[in-house]
Amino acid sequence: MNASRPPVFARECDLVMKGGITSGIVYPLAISEIAKAFRLRSIGGTSAGAIAAAAAAAAELGRQRYQAGELSEDPQGFAEIERLPTHLCTAATSGHGTKLLALFRPSPRLRGLFDTFTAALDAKSKPLGLLRAVLRHYGLATGLGALLGGGPLWALALANHSLLLWLWLLLAALLGALLATGICLLRQTSRELPANGFGLCSGMSSPDDPAAQEALTPWLSTYLDRLSGQPQACASAADAVERARPLTFGDLRRHGIDLQMMTTCASMARPFRLPFRNDEQVRENNQFYFHEDEFCALFPPHVVNWMRARQRPSKCPERADGLYRLPLPDDLPVVVAVRMSLSFPLLLSAVPLYAVDYRSSHKSLERCWFTDGGIASNFPIHFFDQALPTRPTFGLDLGNTEDANGPRVHFPARNSDARLAYWRRFPESGLGAVGSFLRIVMNVAKDWNHETLSLLPGFRDRIGLIQLTREEGGLNLTMPPERIARLTEYGRQAGIEFVHRFGSPDCWQSGAQPIKMNWENHQSIRLRLMLASVAEQLASLERAYSTLANTPEDYRRFFSERYSYTLQGLGELDANAHGQYPTQAALALAQLDSLRALAQQIAQHAQINPALHPAEGAPKPTPELKLRPRV
């Protein structure tokens, strides 16, 4: 860096957050710290990270609306986000647990399974809690199982006072009780769980719930609207549906905010990025429909009313079976996309849409289930990436640690850091060995893509890793307030560090000193990587082209003969007197020739002096450029 030139820092940023159910509690203070130094432009996440991303986008929209004079009152969204952990730590209206736990309201028929599940998670610290939950919900079946399990041993034990006989009786009764309880749990799992969208909780509350707004989806919908100033922005609308309009992706886009999140379509066995795209590159939105009754069970009435009123335009006649066309991407409510990304299997119901399976013979609309985005991409750090970034994309990653007293927030201290993978250790013998091994294997299958990306130069220097113990985050729905408060502070540390590394010195904490791992360092790394990767790709192009040149497989034939996706203007390949190319085929051939010439130039110089090759001295490992789906 030129010492006479003032340092360069970023004023805008993108942000991507990993999924993790209650682990997302680390994000609010991180977001509020980052927002003090940066304008948030592109924000993404998965699962719980999608909630945090939507909240950050809504708060940024509220800030932009107020600064543009569109709102008379400042929503102060980022201050509201900063208060969120305190809100979630307070007692629920029911008096049972915190408001964090109250977000998850099980279906009445699945209350026993839910309570047993949450008690099992706390069994280590509260061993009697699981027994109480089982007896409260399945006491009759447990008692009958114990009686039947003991069978004739009851009469024999009562008639005789043999200690051995009583021990056999207790063992048989215990096995009978466990079997009866297991049958009840299995019956609910196999019957009630699929009927509730393969989840214990729909995200909504029952009609007679006195605290219905504490349930996940109604709370989230209201929260996003409040952060963005949506009620103020829509208050003067003449139409009632428009006045109650939920926050949409179009609201964000009109103020330069790009929000994206991941979901997984189990029926199609593939991930999707939300909102579904409908442009020249990707056309996937127009295949989907939603059913009004099913959405009324998953979303507040004003959200469903909006989606029904703003279904995408079509020349086809309106259906009379309750199915409506999914709105265009700009009209999709943000809360719908978040809920589709957040459908953690078995905990939260999957979201049904409808589409046609054109491989099938009957070609009618069928239900397709959308579940948690983390199944396919739990940390979509590839979001918003480009060859040369104009602003940094911060990544907030979540990891595991066994050391509760060690440092929890990790950033690379130098460019060579974070190249090595974090090990996952597991027992190699005993009862837990097989289960731990299978859990690790499943995590590798699910997370390998973002794990390897996170170790690449140009990625690792902009990712903050927050490590949590088994008792923190995850499925620990019953975390006590002091543990929640501790987790949120980890997020604050990460946010402060991002500001220190990439933001204006005016926003640094008192006493902070400049460090090398900054925005200019990141730009230089990305430039070197891009040049090295492009050089490798050009060499591959030239090698293939020259190998097949002057053979029947010569690629040049595609500029003069008709094939699939034919270029326009075949055979008209010469530039005019002004040096302009008159046809698509001519310009495409000129492009190919220029790429080949550049590849040859690099190869010739590198042959004379290998140190001249763009890959020489570039950060390692050098990533490779490959075609991949737009997901």
Side-chain angles (χ1 to χ4, degrees):
M1 184 182 72
N2 189 339
S4 63
R5 178 173 53 79
V8 174
F9 53 85
R11 294 175 175 82
E12 299 179 336
C13 75
D14 301 336
L15 179 61
V16 177
M17 288 166 281
K18 188 178 184 178
I21 311 301
T22 61
S23 303
I25 199 70
V26 305
Y27 295 138
L29 298 190
I31 292 169
S32 67
E33 292 293 339
I34 291 171
K36 293 174 182 177
F38 303 96
R39 176 182 175 180
L40 304 180
R41 293 300 301 270
S42 297
I43 313 161
T46 297
S47 194
I51 293 183
E60 185 61 60
L61 175 59
R63 178 161 69 178
Q64 296 303 316
R65 280 172 162 173
Y66 181 69
Q67 291 177 356
E70 298 177 16
L71 302 178
S72 58
E73 297 181 16
D74 187 353
Q76 297 184 340
F78 290 110
E80 181 94 358
I81 288 177
E82 191 160 359
R83 292 191 292 269
L84 179 60
T86 302
H87 167 78
L88 294 177
C89 286
T90 59
T93 303
S94 65
H96 178 63
T98 63
K99 281 187 165 59
L100 174 63
L101 177 61
L103 293 174
F104 302 92
R105 305 290 181 90
S107 165
R109 294 185 176 183
L110 291 167
R111 166 59 73 177
L113 196 59
F114 178 81
D115 287 350
T116 304
F117 168 70
T118 53
L121 294 175
D122 286 344
K124 186 175 181 180
S125 58
K126 300 177 182 178
L128 295 179
L130 179 58
L131 179 61
R132 284 196 295 267
V134 169
L135 293 178
R136 182 167 64 250
H137 296 286
Y138 308 104
L140 179 59
T142 303
L144 289 174
L147 288 173
L148 294 175
L153 290 177
W154 286 106
L156 293 174
L158 291 172
N160 299 278
H161 298 288
S162 169
L163 179 60
L164 182 60
L165 188 60
W166 274 100
L167 289 176
W168 277 108
L169 170 62
L170 291 176
L171 179 59
L174 178 61
L175 291 175
L178 291 175
L179 180 61
T181 304
I183 290 173
C184 288
L185 292 173
L186 183 62
R187 181 179 179 276
Q188 282 197 311
T189 302
S190 61
R191 292 187 179 183
E192 304 294 345
L193 206 62
N196 202 49
F198 303 96
L200 295 168
C201 310
S202 68
M204 299 290 285
S205 58
S206 57
D208 58 347
D209 192 333
Q213 285 301 310
E214 288 185 359
L216 176 64
T217 310
W219 168 80
L220 181 60
S221 179
T222 302
Y223 188 66
L224 295 178
D225 289 348
R226 188 166 68 248
L227 294 177
S228 63
Q230 193 75 351
Q232 284 189 69
C234 302
S236 60
D239 180 66
V241 173
E242 182 68 26
R243 283 196 302 274
R245 183 179 86 221
L247 176 66
T248 67
F249 284 91
D251 293 325
L252 298 170
R253 187 184 58 80
R254 283 187 285 273
H255 285 78
I257 302 168
D258 180 17
L259 174 64
Q260 299 182 23
M261 54 200 68
M262 295 296 295
T263 186
T264 303
C265 182
S267 305
M268 298 183 185
R270 57 152 294 182
F272 281 92
R273 194 184 299 206
L274 294 172
F276 297 117
R277 291 181 60 175
N278 184 40
D279 52 44
E280 290 301 320
Q281 283 77 35
V282 179
R283 295 192 181 278
E284 58 193 12
N285 186 79
N286 289 359
Q287 65 183 305
F288 293 116
Y289 291 70
F290 70 95
H291 196 286
E292 180 179 14
D293 291 343
E294 292 175 338
F295 265 50
C296 284
L298 294 172
F299 298 99
H302 74 286
V303 174
V304 182
N305 291 341
W306 169 264
M307 293 186 65
R308 186 177 59 237
R310 297 304 295 262
Q311 64 172 326
R312 66 178 178 271
S314 175
K315 296 179 181 179
C316 300
E318 298 298 318
R319 304 179 66 94
D321 52 5
L323 286 168
Y324 290 85
R325 299 180 294 276
L326 197 69
L328 292 172
D330 272 2
D331 288 331
L332 184 69
V334 170
V335 70
V336 172
V338 174
R339 182 62 183 77
M340 291 175 67
S341 180
L342 186 64
S343 302
F344 190 81
L346 305 186
L347 176 61
L348 284 166
S349 304
V351 177
L353 293 180
Y354 288 78
V356 175
D357 179 4
Y358 287 99
R359 292 181 180 272
S360 174
S361 58
H362 53 273
K363 304 293 189 298
S364 60
L365 287 171
E366 295 182 68
R367 184 187 289 116
C368 46
W369 292 99
F370 285 83
T371 185
D372 194 273
I375 294 172
S377 181
N378 205 32
F379 186 37
I381 190 62
H382 62 283
F383 276 7
F384 322 125
D385 207 20
Q386 50 188 333
L388 291 178
T390 58
R391 54 182 179 265
T393 298
F394 302 147
L396 279 168
D397 194 6
L398 300 172
N400 301 314
T401 181
E402 300 296 331
D403 184 7
N405 299 315
R408 300 302 192 87
V409 181
H410 300 268
F411 283 80
R414 59 190 68 84
N415 287 328
S416 59
D417 283 359
R419 291 179 60 177
L420 301 178
Y422 285 92
W423 282 45
R424 273 69 168 174
R425 292 178 172 83
F426 51 91
E428 299 179 12
S429 61
L431 293 176
V434 174
S436 298
F437 178 77
L438 292 177
R439 177 175 55 84
I440 293 293
V441 169
M442 290 177 62
N443 286 340
V444 172
K446 178 172 66 74
D447 298 334
W448 72 269
N449 187 48
H450 78 250
E451 290 285 354
T452 52
L453 271 177
S454 298
L455 300 177
L456 283 178
F459 284 82
R460 60 194 182 219
D461 61 315
R462 57 185 171 92
I463 294 176
L465 173 64
I466 301 174
Q467 292 186 312
L468 307 177
T469 65
R470 291 180 182 274
E471 293 75 28
E472 297 171 335
L475 285 170
N476 292 290
L477 306 179
T478 58
M479 287 189 296
E482 59 272 14
R483 191 178 302 164
I484 294 174
R486 187 168 66 246
L487 265 63
T488 62
E489 284 302 317
Y490 301 153
R492 186 192 295 278
Q493 294 174 33
I496 291 172
E497 186 64 21
F498 278 124
V499 173
H500 181 205
R501 289 170 177 250
F502 294 90
S504 166
D506 295 339
C507 301
W508 295 355
Q509 287 197 322
S510 176
Q513 298 297 316
I515 58 176
K516 181 180 179 181
M517 304 297 287
N518 55 23
W519 172 226
E520 287 189 294
N521 178 70
H522 180 71
Q523 283 185 295
S524 68
I525 289 173
R526 293 303 297 266
L527 177 62
R528 289 301 312 271
L529 282 178
M530 185 273 294
L531 293 173
S533 299
V534 168
E536 182 184 41
Q537 188 79 347
L538 289 175
S540 175
L541 179 152
E542 172 61 18
R543 187 163 52 249
Y545 189 97
S546 58
T547 299
L548 299 179
N550 301 317
T551 73
E553 301 172 76
D554 193 331
Y555 276 95
R556 199 175 186 88
R557 71 189 188 278
F558 296 111
F559 297 92
S560 57
E561 302 174 17
R562 300 188 66 84
Y563 291 90
S564 300
Y565 304 100
T566 299
L567 293 163
Q568 298 176 9
L570 293 179
E572 301 178 46
L573 305 179
D574 296 327
N576 60 25
H578 303 287
Q580 297 174 335
Y581 296 99
T583 65
Q584 183 188 43
L587 181 59
L589 180 59
Q591 176 189 8
L592 179 60
D593 288 342
S594 296
L595 292 175
R596 291 190 61 213
L598 180 57
Q600 293 165 6
Q601 182 184 41
I602 294 172
Q604 290 167 2
H605 283 74
Q607 187 173 9
I608 298 172
N609 184 356
L612 298 180
H613 195 280
E616 186 66 26
K620 303 297 181 184
T622 305
E624 59 182 359
L625 299 180
K626 281 187 176 291
L627 297 178
R628 55 170 294 164
R630 294 179 183 269
V631 177

